[in-house]
Amino acid sequence: MSASELRPIAFMVMPFRKRPVPGAPEGAPKELDCDALWDRAFRPVLEELGYLPVRADIEAGTVIVKDMLERLAFADLVLADMSLPNGNVYYEIGIRHVAKETDCVLVAAEWSSQLFDVDQMRTVRYPLKDGAVPDEAAQAVREVLKEKLPKVRSSRTPYYELIKEKSEASCFREQLETISAFQASVREARLMPTAEGRKGAVEALVAKYTGAAFCIPEVAFELLTLVRDCVSWQAMLDFVKQLPDSVQKDGYTKEQTLLAEAKTGNDAAAIAGLEELIRLRGDTPERRGLLGGRYKNLWRQMRDQRTGAGDATASLKEQGYLDEAIENYRKGMCLDLNEYYCVCNLPGLLRARSGPGDEEEAAFFDRLTVLATEVKMDKGEEDEWARPTLLGAAFRSGDVKEVSRLVRDVAREGASAWKLGTTLRDIEDAVAALPATDVRKQMEKYRDQLATLV
């Protein structure tokens, strides 16, 4: 299909074949030929309006649920005929109303009566006295739709018009105020000036928001993250056991639980769990990054044991862990080049491996790390790892001026805000990889200053 032939998709939601008209009110036929209505009225008028008309295959079961959901979610227009009380039609309209804000147009014969509150929704009515839909009747339907469809297709669906703006809905106001107070308590806990103060505040929050509150995923995830950051990894594992099964089985909870298991000394179990999570629920940059981190930790352990014993030659097992870390971070990076979690770990590992082409790749990935991080920050999508990531990149590149600026920020804001407990090891590796020059001496000074803050 050439560019000039590209047309927006219009997905038709309606029954098939000949159907009886329940109750057949005055002016209505006793039977409606739905296929004739499609072939002679709906499809031609949609084509005339510039759309590519699509209707589900007539045989039940030939369109799987996934295909139907995709069509409802992504079609440029959904046209739904509600002349007959068909359950599938009502279900598919409901999906489209939530999936897309506009371009869902309800149509119905003048004599039809809709179920429930759907009758209150904006519906384009067309004349149709003959259920066989002869040419004259089809022409009348087409004329009405041709005139009215362009005028109403951009109207917002009831979900977006009435429900989506929850902050304005009185029935949600009290709950929103409660959630707002909870979020304020979370911010207060994070802003406590000492680690002991943060720990106490978080433990008080966990004791306060128990039971049913954990059924609200946002509350459960916020508390889980707080316990992880401000109490301990073991405390986080204990906290997860209190959560409802549905929250425990969530992908985020699974990821954090496996990370906690690794942080408490069980990297092998975490690796097995992450690989199984990827197999069952799919690949993500986060999961690949966590997996790469576990192999990186195993590599570091073997490297440190070897160098501590004065052995200069890495074993095949140590090299294997390093290769696995690089491979998993690389896979995570390729899943989304706009994310910096995986790519920022590659430069240090590539320089440690120091194979053919590794230094050139490391330099490129350092630049990509800075670019991806700055793009996120410019778009207002900065997260808690953005600035620590830039700090690590500045150390690796030997940018003394940038490191000096960022170290002052760390001193002012505290080690926790800059994730120094995690990033300091990467900084140590970055400094060790620099050439033995004055730049390295300055970087060692800044590294030592940061170490005193942890």
Side-chain angles (χ1 to χ4, degrees):
M1 180 181 291
S2 66
S4 61
E5 295 175 311
L6 289 174
R7 290 181 286 167
I9 301 294
F11 183 50
M12 187 75 218
V13 175
M14 65 182 300
F16 301 105
R17 303 189 183 90
K18 294 180 180 180
R19 302 278 178 140
V21 177
E26 185 177 352
K30 293 184 178 180
E31 186 179 67
L32 177 60
D33 189 338
C34 297
D35 295 342
L37 183 60
W38 163 250
D39 289 328
R40 299 171 189 168
F42 294 147
R43 182 176 55 77
V45 77
L46 289 170
E47 289 180 337
E48 190 175 353
L49 290 170
Y51 289 94
L52 176 63
V54 177
R55 187 168 71 142
D57 195 290
I58 191 169
E59 294 300 330
T62 58
V63 175
I64 62 174
V65 172
K66 177 177 180 293
D67 292 338
M68 182 267 290
L69 293 175
E70 286 178 346
R71 290 170 177 174
L72 290 170
F74 301 120
D76 300 284
L77 170 70
V78 167
L79 187 66
D81 186 79
M82 305 184 67
S83 300
L84 302 179
N86 183 277
N88 287 341
V89 170
Y90 278 71
Y91 171 72
E92 292 173 31
I93 290 171
I95 291 173
R96 174 64 176 203
H97 276 182
V98 175
K100 196 168 182 179
E101 187 170 356
T102 61
D103 294 275
C104 180
V105 178
L106 310 183
V107 298
E110 290 176 342
W111 41 259
S112 67
S113 177
Q114 278 64 61
L115 301 174
F116 315 119
D117 293 335
V118 176
D119 191 43
Q120 302 176 24
M121 298 179 186
R122 185 184 294 107
T123 305
V124 175
R125 297 281 180 170
Y126 58 80
L128 185 64
K129 295 182 179 180
D130 190 338
V133 197
D135 290 341
E136 184 178 352
Q139 176 64 28
V141 175
R142 293 197 301 270
E143 289 177 358
V144 170
L145 296 183
K146 184 179 178 181
E147 175 195 354
K148 295 187 177 181
L149 271 181
K151 298 177 181 178
V152 300
R153 63 188 176 193
S154 297
S155 301
R156 301 175 76 198
T157 68
Y159 174 78
Y160 283 90
E161 190 171 21
L162 303 175
I163 306 299
K164 185 67 174 174
E165 304 299 332
K166 289 183 179 180
S167 60
E168 298 177 5
S170 58
C171 61
F172 287 101
R173 191 165 296 137
E174 183 176 348
Q175 183 180 6
L176 286 171
E177 289 175 354
T178 302
I179 293 292
S180 178
F182 168 73
Q183 293 291 355
S185 299
V186 168
R187 288 193 295 273
E188 181 182 358
R190 287 195 177 276
L191 291 172
M192 296 292 287
T194 66
E196 194 60 34
R198 288 190 293 274
K199 179 175 180 290
V202 170
E203 289 173 342
L205 276 176
V206 171
K208 178 179 179 180
Y209 294 96
T210 57
F214 292 162
C215 293
I216 304 173
E218 293 81 2
V219 172
F221 296 148
E222 190 73 73
L223 289 175
L224 183 153
T225 306
L226 268 180
V227 174
R228 179 198 70 188
D229 293 346
C230 302
V231 185
S232 69
W233 291 106
Q234 185 58 54
M236 196 209 85
L237 288 172
D238 295 337
F239 174 76
V240 168
K241 295 175 184 176
Q242 304 177 45
L243 299 177
D245 286 345
S246 60
V247 178
Q248 288 191 37
K249 292 176 182 177
D250 182 87
Y252 177 76
T253 308
K254 287 282 188 182
E255 292 166 1
Q256 295 305 306
T257 300
L258 291 167
L259 177 60
E261 288 182 359
K263 294 292 186 179
T264 53
N266 201 342
D267 279 304
I271 288 172
L274 286 163
E275 289 175 341
E276 185 68 4
L277 185 62
I278 290 172
R279 187 183 71 83
L280 293 176
R281 301 197 186 183
D283 225 346
T284 68
E286 179 72 19
R287 289 165 191 170
R288 280 293 167 186
L290 290 172
L291 194 51
R294 309 293 55 79
Y295 281 112
K296 182 170 77 169
N297 192 49
L298 290 173
W299 163 70
R300 273 179 171 164
Q301 290 174 8
M302 292 201 71
R303 181 201 62 181
D304 293 347
Q305 289 173 4
R306 171 178 57 81
T307 56
D311 189 352
T313 304
S315 67
L316 290 176
K317 190 171 184 179
E318 179 185 331
Q319 293 173 12
Y321 285 147
L322 180 56
D323 289 340
E324 286 281 5
I326 291 172
E327 180 181 355
N328 280 284
Y329 281 129
R330 194 188 297 274
K331 286 181 178 179
M333 174 197 70
C334 291
L335 289 171
D336 190 346
L337 292 175
N338 292 316
E339 294 292 339
Y340 51 78
Y341 173 32
C342 288
V343 69
C344 74
N345 283 280
L346 284 168
L349 295 173
L350 288 165
R351 290 188 175 106
R353 186 170 68 179
S354 194
D358 281 347
E359 176 56 39
E360 291 77 6
E361 274 201 299
F364 170 75
F365 289 143
D366 260 331
R367 292 193 294 272
L368 183 58
T369 295
V370 173
L371 178 61
T373 308
E374 289 178 344
V375 166
K376 281 233 175 221
M377 296 173 74
D378 290 343
K379 291 169 65 176
E381 299 175 0
E382 176 183 358
D383 61 26
E384 59 188 345
W385 287 99
R387 292 188 299 161
T389 298
L390 290 178
L391 178 64
F395 267 101
R396 287 194 302 271
S397 63
D399 189 338
V400 175
K401 183 177 180 181
E402 180 68 359
V403 167
S404 174
R405 183 182 71 82
L406 293 174
V407 165
R408 289 196 298 272
D409 289 342
V410 177
R412 184 175 66 253
E413 298 169 19
S416 177
W418 284 80
K419 308 293 183 183
L420 279 190
T422 299
T423 58
L424 193 57
R425 286 297 306 275
D426 290 327
I427 290 171
E428 291 169 351
D429 286 347
V431 173
L434 292 172
T437 62
D438 288 341
V439 169
R440 177 169 170 174
K441 290 180 180 179
Q442 290 178 284
M443 292 300 186
E444 289 173 342
K445 179 188 70 173
Y446 289 125
R447 176 204 61 195
D448 293 343
Q449 289 177 353
L450 292 175
T452 64
L453 299 176
V454 177

